């Protein structure tokens, strides 16, 4: 490659990086203006695991809301912990790493599209179609491992195509992508691994033009993940067999795991059609464009790899008992590139049309999020911010009681069990004996869930009618109320200060 060609390559990466930054910044602004969704889609588990890394220094097996080890590899927690430690336990600090992953995903989506089409308007359309879908937009700032997995799959797909085309440093990118995917979500990186092995055969590349076999790349990429698995066995004997394999893999397929909800293997097989239907509906209108684009594929068109990447996701995750469309998030960028480069490229104005589609879809999604947003989200996060400030001004043990399994405890920067069940006098006494010395003070964060101390007249604990009998009197500093008790919301929150009796 001559100097001018190298300069052109660098310039396209820079231009694409700037466009990706603009697109992700606009999406961040839209997401920030909508009601927070940190309480949904298991995000409190990931958030609390990050807090556990910061607060308890548990890096190998961080704990979640029920004080049990996280069932996923903790890469998202490792990357987010330094950010949260520096900038505090605010909701936005937990979204920094997902946002950076979304920016890089957008960049690799643009570069992947350039491998199949040279026109800038078509290339930029691929990123707009990706961001302008329900699944694409949801994957941008989700406080879960999914944004990292989406980045791993998109960069890995770029590397697979680049290896076929002879790009020198593509093997290194593929290894990094595989390692990232395995440490982000473990077995969920399987479609990318399979495609890396069979891509030349699927694309009908002549045997003489095949790149070297990727076995050594896969082996090197799997080494960090295997090292983490060994470390979990040392720290928590039986964890890999019971959780990583028993629950996360075998339990989902056999119908015996927590996620399976009691489904039998036959129900899993007979219901395999549900995931493709969910995927098509949640990626409209992109899914329709992609199906039309498949008809435009030539016999030796490398873009067939994009189609197979989507199909591999359907085949791998279709056999899981808990079929959720968010598992298909890693396939959306590939489908956007396929639709843009093999169908939308025939439009009279691909960029303007894709921009209009993206704006319309984001408007509909924004309206839906605003309409269905929970009224208690802002009070809860406001309470967490005020309570955190008070606690930091006067550090002391914190007793949390009567809350639901939302993200409150993570925003307070606390780790441990989130007490949301009725609590007895004996349990509270054990907590005091282990956490507070006689005569010392402690904080109380009390919700309205059925638990001792919240409504003692209505829900008495055996042998005790008020806080004063144990450690009072309690000085209730402030409270936040937001209507009736509902899922994830305890109905009211109070911050109090008490001193244990001598």
């Amino acid at each position: 490659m001559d100097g001018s060609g190298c300069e052109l390559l660098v310039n396209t990466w820079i231009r694409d990086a700037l466009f990706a930054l603009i697109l992700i910044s606009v999406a961040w602004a839209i997401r920030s203006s909508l009601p927070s969704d940190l309480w949904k889609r298991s995000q409190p588990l990931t958030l609390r695991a990050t807090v556990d890394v910061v607060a308890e220094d548990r890096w190998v097996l961080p704990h979640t809301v029920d004080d049990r080890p996280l069932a996923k590899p903790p890469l998202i927690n490792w990357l987010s912990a330094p950010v949260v430690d520096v900038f505090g336990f605010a909701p936005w600090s937990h979204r920094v790493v997902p946002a950076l992953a979304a920016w890089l995903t957008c960049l690799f989506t643009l570069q992947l599209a350039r491998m199949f089409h040279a026109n800038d308007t078509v290339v930029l359309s691929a990123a707009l179609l990706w961001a302008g879908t329900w699944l694409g937009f949801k994957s941008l700032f989700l406080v879960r491992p999914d944004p990292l997995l989406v980045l791993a799959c998109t960069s890995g797909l770029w590397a697979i195509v680049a290896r076929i085309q002879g790009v020198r440093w593509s093997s290194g990118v593929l290894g990094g992508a595989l390692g990232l995917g395995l440490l982000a979500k473990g077995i969920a990186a399987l479609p990318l691994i399979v495609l890396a092995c069979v891509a030349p055969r699927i694309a009908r590349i002549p045997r003489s033009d095949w790149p070297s076999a990727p076995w050594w790349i896969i082996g090197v990429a799997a080494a960090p993940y295997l090292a983490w698995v060994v470390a979990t066995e040392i720290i928590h004997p039986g964890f890999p067999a019971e959780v990583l394999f028993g629950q996360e893999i075998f339990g989902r397929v056999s119908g015996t795991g927590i996620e399976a909800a009691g489904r039998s293997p036959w129900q899993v097989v007979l219901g395999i059609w549900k995931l493709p239907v969910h995927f098509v509906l949640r990626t409209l209108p992109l899914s329709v464009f992609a199906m039309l684009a498949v008809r435009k594929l030539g016999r030796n068109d490398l873009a067939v790899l994009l189609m197979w990447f989507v199909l591999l996701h359907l085949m791998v995750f279709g056999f899981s008992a808990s079929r959720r469309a968010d598992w298909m998030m890693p396939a959306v960028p590939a489908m956007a590139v396929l639709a843009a480069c093999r169908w939308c490229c025939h439009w009279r104005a691909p960029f303007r049309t894709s921009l209009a589609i993206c704006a319309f879809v984001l408007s509909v999604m924004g309206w839906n999020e605003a309409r269905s947003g929970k009224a208690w989200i802002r009070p809860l996060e406001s309470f967490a911010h005020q309570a955190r400030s008070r606690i930091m001004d006067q550090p002391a043990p914190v007793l949390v009681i009567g809350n639901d399994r939302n993200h409150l405890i993570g925003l307070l920067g606390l780790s441990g069990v989130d007490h949301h069940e009725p609590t007895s006098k004996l349990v509270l006494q054990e907590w005091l004996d282990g956490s507070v010395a006689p005569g010392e003070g402690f904080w109380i964060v009390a919700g309205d869930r059925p638990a001792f101390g919240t409504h003692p007249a209505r829900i008495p604990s055996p042998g005790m009618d008020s806080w004063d009998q144990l450690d009072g009197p309690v000085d209730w500093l402030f409270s936040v109320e937001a209507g009736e008790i509902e899922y994830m919301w305890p109905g009211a929150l109070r911050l109090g200060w008490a001193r244990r009796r001598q």
Side-chain angles (χ1 to χ4, degrees):
M1 180 180 293
D2 58 16
S4 60
C6 182
E7 182 180 356
L8 177 62
L9 177 63
V10 173
N11 287 339
T12 57
W13 278 91
I14 294 175
R15 282 188 297 157
D16 288 349
L18 291 175
F19 180 81
L21 180 62
I22 294 172
L23 181 58
I24 298 304
S25 298
V26 170
W28 177 289
I30 295 173
R31 177 65 264 181
S32 300
S33 66
L34 299 173
S36 173
D37 67 342
L38 280 178
W39 62 280
K40 292 193 291 186
R41 284 179 287 278
S42 303
Q43 292 183 93
L45 274 70
T46 303
L47 190 148
R48 281 285 297 279
T50 299
V51 173
D52 193 68
V53 172
V54 176
E56 303 294 334
D57 205 32
R58 277 192 285 248
W59 288 81
V60 176
L61 277 179
H63 288 201
T64 59
V65 292
D66 49 6
D67 204 31
R68 292 187 301 179
L70 189 68
K72 299 287 193 302
L75 180 60
I76 181 67
N77 311 113
W78 296 343
L79 297 177
S80 296
V83 180
V84 172
D85 192 24
V86 171
F87 295 103
F89 300 94
W92 70 268
S93 64
H94 290 274
R95 297 191 187 274
V96 170
V97 171
L100 291 175
W103 172 60
L104 291 174
T105 299
C106 189
L107 174 58
F108 274 103
T109 300
L110 293 166
Q111 285 295 311
L112 181 62
R114 291 192 182 279
M115 292 184 165
F116 300 104
H117 210 285
N119 192 318
D120 281 346
T121 60
V122 174
V123 170
L124 300 181
S125 296
L128 291 172
L129 291 173
W130 164 61
T133 64
W134 187 88
L135 277 183
F137 182 73
K138 288 293 184 182
S139 69
L140 296 180
F141 311 114
L142 200 61
V143 183
R144 292 280 293 145
D146 300 276
L148 294 180
L149 182 63
V150 175
L151 170 59
C153 290
T154 307
S155 58
L157 185 54
W158 177 90
I160 290 172
V161 178
R163 290 185 80 233
I164 293 175
Q165 295 182 351
V167 178
R168 182 175 301 175
W169 43 284
S170 57
S171 294
V173 176
L174 178 59
L178 293 174
L180 176 65
L182 288 170
L183 280 177
K185 218 169 178 182
I187 193 63
L190 182 60
L192 181 62
I193 296 174
V194 173
L195 187 68
C197 297
V198 301
R201 186 179 299 276
I202 289 177
R204 298 184 178 182
I205 304 296
R207 184 81 181 189
S208 58
D209 296 333
W210 282 18
S212 59
W215 304 118
W216 69 271
I217 301 176
I218 297 173
V220 172
Y225 174 73
L226 295 177
W228 172 75
V229 172
V230 171
T232 63
E233 176 64 28
I234 295 174
I235 293 177
H236 193 302
F239 178 82
E242 296 172 8
V243 178
L244 297 181
F245 176 77
Q247 295 181 17
E248 292 297 298
I249 301 176
F250 180 77
R252 293 178 186 269
V253 176
S254 65
T256 59
I258 298 176
E259 294 279 352
R263 296 180 179 89
S264 67
W266 278 111
Q267 289 175 310
V268 173
V269 174
L270 294 177
I272 195 172
W273 60 271
K274 294 181 181 179
L275 187 60
V277 172
H278 291 171
F279 179 61
V280 169
L281 293 177
R282 284 165 172 76
T283 54
L284 289 172
L286 176 58
S287 54
V288 175
F289 299 156
M291 286 187 283
L292 294 173
V294 171
R295 301 176 60 186
K296 297 290 185 179
L297 293 176
R299 179 176 175 81
N300 296 316
D301 193 343
L302 276 179
V304 72
L305 296 177
L306 303 173
M307 179 192 72
W308 273 101
F309 188 67
V310 177
L311 294 178
L312 282 171
H313 274 81
L314 291 172
M315 288 187 286
V316 170
F317 297 113
F319 285 98
S320 173
S322 52
R323 297 183 178 90
R324 300 195 306 268
D326 57 356
W327 289 3
M328 297 300 299
M329 286 178 179
V332 178
M335 191 166 65
V337 173
L338 175 62
C341 296
R342 292 297 179 267
W343 177 256
C344 303
C345 59
H346 300 295
W347 295 347
R348 179 174 299 180
F351 178 78
R352 290 199 299 269
T353 305
S354 299
L355 182 61
I357 292 173
C358 180
F360 174 76
V361 173
L362 292 182
S363 299
V364 173
M365 291 171 55
W367 170 80
N368 182 68
E369 290 291 326
R371 180 184 60 86
S372 60
K374 297 295 185 179
W376 51 264
I377 289 295
R378 290 190 185 278
L380 181 143
E381 295 186 353
S382 174
F383 174 87
H385 175 72
Q386 297 179 62
R388 175 69 182 169
S389 299
R390 298 283 186 95
I391 294 171
M392 290 296 292
D393 291 339
Q394 188 176 355
V398 182
L399 173 64
V400 180
I401 189 171
N403 186 47
D404 205 346
R405 295 191 175 190
N406 47 45
H407 55 297
L408 169 67
I409 311 305
L411 297 183
L412 289 173
L414 305 177
S415 186
V417 176
D418 184 355
H419 296 293
H420 64 288
E421 299 290 343
T423 307
S424 67
K425 176 182 177 181
L426 177 61
V427 172
L428 291 177
Q429 189 66 53
E430 291 176 351
W431 181 87
L432 286 169
D433 292 340
S435 304
V436 185
E440 296 296 322
F442 63 97
W443 293 100
I444 300 174
V445 175
D448 242 2
R449 290 290 179 184
F452 167 75
T454 55
H455 286 293
R458 187 183 68 180
I459 311 171
S461 184
M464 188 170 301
D465 297 323
S466 72
W467 284 101
D468 293 348
Q469 292 181 323
L470 182 63
D471 41 52
V474 179
D475 180 16
W476 296 107
L477 303 181
F478 68 92
S479 64
V480 173
E481 298 186 10
E484 297 294 330
I485 294 175
E486 59 180 287
Y487 176 66
M488 286 286 193
W489 169 245
L493 289 168
R494 291 184 288 172
L495 177 69
W497 173 262
R499 190 173 300 276
R500 188 182 180 190
R501 293 171 177 171
Q502 294 285 354

